[in-house]
Amino acid sequence: MMQTTAVVVGAGHSGLAMSRRLTERSIDHVVLERGEVADSWRTLRWPSLRLLTPNWQTRLPGHDYAGDDPDGYMPAAEVVATLTRYARLISAPVRTATTVQSVRTAPEGFEIVANGDVLRARAVVLATGACILPSIPGVADAVPPSITMLTAFSYRDPGQLPDGGVLVVGASATGVQLAGEIHRSGRPVTLAVGEHVRLPRTYRSRDIFWWLESTGLLAERYDQVDDLTRARHLPSPQLTGTPEAITTDLNTLTALGIRIVGRLGRVVDGVAQFSGSLANTCALADLKMNRFLTRADQWATDTGLDDELPPPHRFAPTRVDPRTPLELDLTSGEVTTVLWATGFGPDHSWLDIPVLDRKGRIRHDGGMVTGAPGLYLLGMPVLRTRASTYIHGAGNDSEALAGHLHCFLGGRHG
Ligand SMILES: Cc1cc2nc3c(=O)[nH]c(=O)nc-3n(C[C@H](O)[C@H](O)[C@H](O)COP(=O)(O)OP(=O)(O)OC[C@H]3O[C@@H](n4cnc5c(N)ncnc54)[C@H](O)[C@@H]3O)c2cc1C
């Protein structure tokens, strides 16, 4: 049986950031990865995906973006290359092709079973990703069998779809990007829109992530956020990364010819039924966007930046056609594919420690798992701040948790 001080499960950016923090503290550890470094970006993302965060923000402990396009948006393949380089740079002790099958408590720590081998460690960091499984609503069961169903994980490009119309369900970052891409391939696209977060790509000539970071919004701590459960389950903003830095909101998609309908509620006898509250949903998203822009303007004024930036302005409200259909017959042949862009979730099914709440989520306090001293969680939305949802958030999160882990070990390790 192998013994080490700490085991990190997962070699995405979160696990690598933690590895770097443990090395800084001379804490003996190993990173167990079921695939390769950055495996989610290799196997679970579609090829045309680009980060929606700008390149300058793709920073990890001891590593800032050093390329020649700081304001661009990195394609998935470049994310893989960046993380692979980073793993090498920090000499992360990654064991690839090593699947963790169980983690349970043991005397003086934890017992980890990986590829059938048993390891003992005093601390374990779970960094297996918040977006490892597609979330598909139960209504999918009622979709007629003649319809091809895909998720963002099984989607590669429009060429794999049968001829005919496509219903994209979900209008967050994934849904709006894929609706646009599929529409450009010549297929008629209907986009079912539920609650969403509308943001412009740029505002007053700066990227929206510049504003989110500068105004301090992303630095809001988990214990200061008004409704933490809601914050942790907010849909991703309607943003895409394109070389032209275009805004991909519902008005843009409607102008392209994509049909916008309300949230998919039920499928009855092959007929998809959409919510009639699309106009209200969109008005609420517009309101929240404008509330943030007002905060941004106030911040610019307070910090004396008004003269350096173009003047404040507002974007057109989302246009909703009053004749928007409430039903779509999935047996008519008009639609041949349903693409579920309804979010993602983690997979901790291999965790043999009773730390899950009634909804199957790990109970934790800013990444310190409740009731399991020595067990840590990284890479979850709003784990410690709003930035935790994004790559650059792992810097501060891993620093705080590695510091805690170090104290937990009482300085005795190795
Ligand atoms: C479509 C999409 C777009 C995104 N775009 C952005 C963006 O633009 N900017 C941004 O900052 N963030 C973005 N994110 C959010 C986030 O940064 C990514 O999800 C990122 O991959 C999370 O990194 P991670 O290290 O926490 O998890 P992951 O990258 O998912 O890494 C987890 C690792 O754990 C491994 N693993 C899982 N289970 C086991 C096991 N049992 N044993 C061993 N290994 C295991 C996996 O193979 C994987 O390599 C996006 C997410 C998605 C889904």
Side-chain angles (χ1 to χ4, degrees):
M1 182 188 305
M2 195 200 137
Q3 187 94 26
T4 182
T5 305
V7 162
V8 178
V9 191
H13 78 264
S14 300
L16 296 175
M18 184 49 114
S19 174
R20 156 87 189 207
R21 298 304 192 195
L22 296 177
T23 301
E24 283 168 358
R25 289 168 174 81
S26 304
I27 296 175
D28 178 41
H29 68 282
V30 62
V31 182
L32 305 181
E33 166 55 52
R34 67 181 178 184
E36 295 179 66
V37 166
D39 211 60
S40 295
W41 293 100
R42 293 173 197 267
T43 59
L44 302 179
R45 315 272 189 261
W46 59 98
S48 68
L49 175 67
R50 283 173 180 265
L51 289 187
L52 53 83
T53 43
N55 290 338
W56 56 261
Q57 212 170 29
T58 303
R59 41 180 196 256
L60 286 163
H63 173 80
D64 283 340
Y65 177 78
D68 56 7
D69 187 19
D71 296 322
Y73 308 94
M74 215 176 266
E78 205 179 317
V79 180
V80 172
T82 301
L83 294 182
T84 307
R85 265 197 317 273
Y86 182 66
R88 244 183 268 126
L89 176 83
I90 63 169
S91 303
V94 182
R95 281 202 215 158
T96 54
T98 305
T99 302
V100 170
Q101 290 142 332
S102 78
V103 174
R104 61 176 72 102
T105 45
E108 300 221 16
F110 301 90
E111 188 178 275
I112 301 105
V113 178
N115 285 6
D117 295 332
V118 180
L119 280 93
R120 281 276 173 90
R122 294 189 53 209
V124 171
V125 181
L126 309 171
T128 48
C131 306
I132 281 285
L133 295 175
S135 305
I136 307 173
V139 62
D141 293 342
V143 170
S146 57
I147 298 280
T148 298
M149 288 206 279
L150 292 171
T151 69
F153 284 177
S154 50
Y155 173 86
R156 309 307 293 164
D157 59 61
Q160 87 192 91
L161 309 180
D163 287 342
V166 179
L167 171 62
V168 177
V169 185
S172 294
T174 300
V176 295
Q177 200 226 307
L178 296 185
E181 177 167 300
I182 294 167
H183 170 81
R184 283 191 296 278
S185 77
R187 289 174 176 75
V189 174
T190 303
L191 178 64
V193 179
E195 187 196 356
H196 57 274
V197 177
R198 181 183 179 196
L199 283 176
R201 181 68 271 178
T202 54
Y203 179 59
R204 299 178 73 183
S205 83
R206 299 291 172 102
D207 190 275
I208 198 68
F209 271 94
W210 181 84
W211 289 101
L212 292 168
E213 186 164 308
S214 305
T215 54
L217 187 116
L218 290 180
E220 271 174 26
R221 284 176 53 96
Y222 73 107
D223 46 9
Q224 292 166 346
V225 168
D226 278 346
D227 184 344
L228 182 58
T229 305
R230 188 176 151 69
R232 285 184 169 157
H233 294 93
L234 265 189
S236 57
Q238 271 174 351
L239 288 171
T240 53
T242 59
E244 305 79 21
I246 52 166
T247 290
T248 316
D249 59 16
L250 298 178
N251 284 346
T252 321
L253 297 182
T254 306
L256 285 175
I258 292 171
R259 179 168 57 175
I260 309 294
V261 296
R263 183 176 187 278
L264 175 62
R266 303 196 302 164
V267 176
V268 178
D269 295 333
V271 178
Q273 299 179 346
F274 304 109
S275 163
S277 62
L278 177 64
N280 288 343
T281 308
C282 292
L284 189 63
D286 291 354
L287 182 83
K288 288 185 177 167
M289 173 180 71
N290 287 334
R291 209 181 277 160
F292 175 69
L293 298 182
T294 301
R295 174 177 170 167
D297 291 336
Q298 188 59 53
W299 172 84
T301 303
D302 293 347
T303 50
L305 277 175
D306 272 334
D307 292 342
E308 283 178 36
L309 298 167
H313 64 95
R314 291 295 175 262
F315 297 87
T318 305
R319 285 184 300 278
V320 176
D321 187 338
R323 294 157 304 169
T324 300
L326 296 174
E327 290 189 343
L328 180 58
D329 186 353
L330 299 177
T331 63
S332 70
E334 182 188 344
V335 166
T336 54
T337 303
V338 172
L339 175 59
W340 300 102
T342 34
F344 310 96
D347 177 15
H348 295 119
S349 55
W350 39 270
L351 195 57
D352 280 337
I353 306 175
V355 290
L356 304 185
D357 66 15
R358 271 179 300 132
K359 294 202 163 158
R361 300 179 195 128
I362 294 185
R363 277 179 273 113
H364 69 97
D365 180 8
M368 279 90 75
V369 177
T370 311
L375 188 62
Y376 297 88
L377 178 66
L378 202 54
M380 292 292 134
V382 201
L383 184 91
R384 296 188 62 81
T385 67
R386 288 189 191 272
S388 305
T389 309
Y390 302 102
I391 292 171
H392 72 282
N396 284 340
D397 293 358
S398 58
E399 175 63 19
L401 295 183
H404 190 281
L405 191 156
H406 192 225
C407 293
F408 168 76
L409 296 173
R412 301 186 312 275
H413 50 80

